[in-house]
Amino acid sequence: YTPIPDDVRIDLPHDDRIDLGAQVGWHFLVGSLWAEDGTEYGIEFMLFERALYPPAFAKEVGLSPIDNLAVEVQFAISTRGDRHHQAEPLVALGTSGLIRTNSSPFSLDVGVNSFRSDGAEALLPMRVRAAGTDVGGDQPLALACDLQLTGGRGVLEQGEHGAMPSVGGLGTIYYSLPAIELDPERSTITIDGRQIRIVRGELWFDHQWGALAGVSPHEVLRASETVAAPEPPGWDWFMTHLDGNRQVTVFAQHASGYSSYYGCTGDAPPPTMTRRVSGTYMDEQGTTCMVWGSVVVDDFAILAMDPTQAKL
C-alpha cells in the first residue's frame, strides 16, 4: 500500500479524493438537522473504503484500482427523543460497477449513495444523498436523505498537520470540516415515505485514509506486532460543537484492559469507565491544537430491537 510519509502535508482539494493506493479510508458525515416544526434529527452517513489486496498484487491478478475496492455504506437517522433508525449496511465491490469516483470535482458514488462536490475548487458546496432500509422493526422502513451542504468554518487538520499518526509508513492522514451548514431550499430527509424539509443543519465531515497494520517496510515495527497479544480492534470517537463557535474531537483506541466494556450484553450495565483520550481543539479564530484529557462514562443505554423495551 502507499506508505504514509513521515512529513504529512494535506493538499486540498486534491486530497478530498479516494487514494486508491491506501489500505483503508472513509468519507463520513454526522450531525444534527432541524425541520420546520423545530424537531431535531441526527444523521450519520459513511462510505468506508477498503482495498481487497495490496495494489501490486491486485494488478498482477488483473484487478483495476476500482475493481480492487470494497465500499461499505453506513446510514442512520434518529429523531430526538424517539427512535434511532439504522439502515441495513450495504457492501459493494468495485467489480459490480456500483462504485464510481471522480477527482475534479470530487465525487464518490455507491449505487444511489453519494458525495458530490459542485465544483473543482473545494469540497463544499456538496450534495449528499443516501438511501437504505431499517429492518430492525416489525416492518422494513425506508430511509433517505438529500442534503445540499454549503459552507463550513474551515479545515481542521487532525494530529500533526493531518498525520494521525505516521510511523514507519503506517498510520492515517486525517482532516475534518466542522460547523457545516446547508441550503434549506434543497435539503430533505425521508422516513418511511414521509419527506421532511430541513431548514437548518450543524454537521461535521471527516476524511481519513491510510494503512493501519501489517504493511510496514520496517522489520522492527512488523516484529512489534508479535511481541504481545493483539489489542481489540477499533476505537471510540466523538466530536462536539461548543458554544462560541468552537469545536473539539477526541478518540480512544480500544485496549484489552477495557474489553469488558465492548459488546456488552445483559441487563446489568458495566461499571463507570474512565479513558484517557486525545484529539484536536479548534478555537473561535480557527486556530487548532492537540488536546489530551479523560472521558468518564458513567451511564449506559441498553439497545433493543423493540424501541418500547429500550431503557437506560
Side-chain angles (χ1 to χ4, degrees):
Y1 303 99
T2 304
I4 303 300
D6 293 333
D7 184 21
V8 169
R9 288 292 185 268
I10 291 176
D11 177 20
L12 301 178
H14 176 268
D15 284 337
D16 293 327
R17 80 199 201 301
I18 290 184
D19 182 348
L20 292 173
Q23 183 186 43
V24 295
W26 49 93
H27 292 77
F28 173 73
L29 182 73
V30 67
S32 293
L33 308 170
W34 286 267
E36 292 176 291
D37 64 1
T39 303
E40 181 181 353
Y41 298 89
I43 190 167
E44 179 260 346
F45 173 49
M46 178 173 67
L47 299 180
F48 186 98
E49 309 112 30
R50 184 178 181 91
L52 298 176
Y53 304 108
F57 179 77
K59 184 177 181 179
E60 281 189 28
V61 297
L63 293 175
S64 71
I66 287 292
D67 290 342
N68 190 39
L69 195 64
V71 180
E72 179 179 345
V73 180
Q74 289 283 349
F75 177 44
I77 297 175
S78 59
T79 306
R80 181 164 184 166
D82 200 352
R83 183 171 171 180
H84 173 77
H85 295 290
Q86 173 70 51
E88 185 78 357
L90 165 72
V91 177
L93 299 180
T95 51
S96 70
L98 292 173
I99 302 173
R100 300 175 302 279
T101 187
N102 189 60
S103 297
S104 183
F106 163 74
S107 66
L108 174 57
D109 297 62
V110 182
V112 299
N113 304 279
S114 63
F115 291 104
R116 290 189 178 182
S117 294
D118 288 355
E121 301 303 317
L123 185 69
L124 300 176
M126 177 170 64
R127 188 178 185 184
V128 177
R129 290 185 291 179
T133 303
D134 179 0
V135 297
D138 294 332
Q139 298 291 330
L141 185 144
L143 305 171
C145 76
D146 189 344
L147 306 176
Q148 181 66 30
L149 310 186
T150 54
R153 67 164 309 196
V155 177
L156 189 159
E157 294 183 345
Q158 302 281 3
E160 185 68 26
H161 303 297
M164 193 69 177
S166 173
V167 179
L170 294 179
T172 64
I173 303 174
Y174 181 12
Y175 69 89
S176 303
L177 300 180
I180 297 174
E181 299 176 342
L182 51 74
D183 183 348
E185 300 299 322
R186 301 171 61 190
S187 298
T188 62
I189 60 173
T190 303
I191 302 175
D192 198 21
R194 180 172 61 96
Q195 189 177 82
I196 302 163
R197 181 166 170 258
I198 299 301
V199 298
R200 183 167 70 90
E202 191 170 56
L203 299 155
W204 181 288
F205 177 85
D206 270 358
H207 182 203
Q208 188 169 5
W209 70 99
L212 295 181
V215 293
S216 175
H218 298 276
E219 293 181 356
V220 172
L221 288 178
R222 293 202 305 272
S224 68
E225 297 181 357
T226 65
V227 171
E231 298 287 354
W235 57 89
D236 297 307
W237 172 93
F238 78 86
M239 66 79 193
T240 186
H241 294 96
L242 304 172
D243 290 342
N245 198 20
R246 299 169 297 136
Q247 291 78 31
V248 66
T249 175
V250 297
F251 86 105
Q253 195 80 21
H254 284 180
S256 56
Y258 298 89
S259 296
S260 62
Y261 295 95
Y262 310 139
C264 295
T265 59
D267 292 330
T272 296
M273 178 173 68
T274 301
R275 282 301 313 269
R276 292 286 296 170
V277 297
S278 62
T280 306
Y281 170 76
M282 176 180 275
D283 67 17
E284 56 271 27
Q285 281 78 42
T287 303
T288 61
C289 65
M290 297 183 68
V291 294
W292 292 265
S294 297
V295 168
V296 178
V297 182
D298 58 6
D299 199 3
F300 297 84
I302 297 177
L303 300 179
M305 300 302 286
D306 181 354
T308 64
Q309 300 300 312
K311 58 184 179 180
L312 291 177

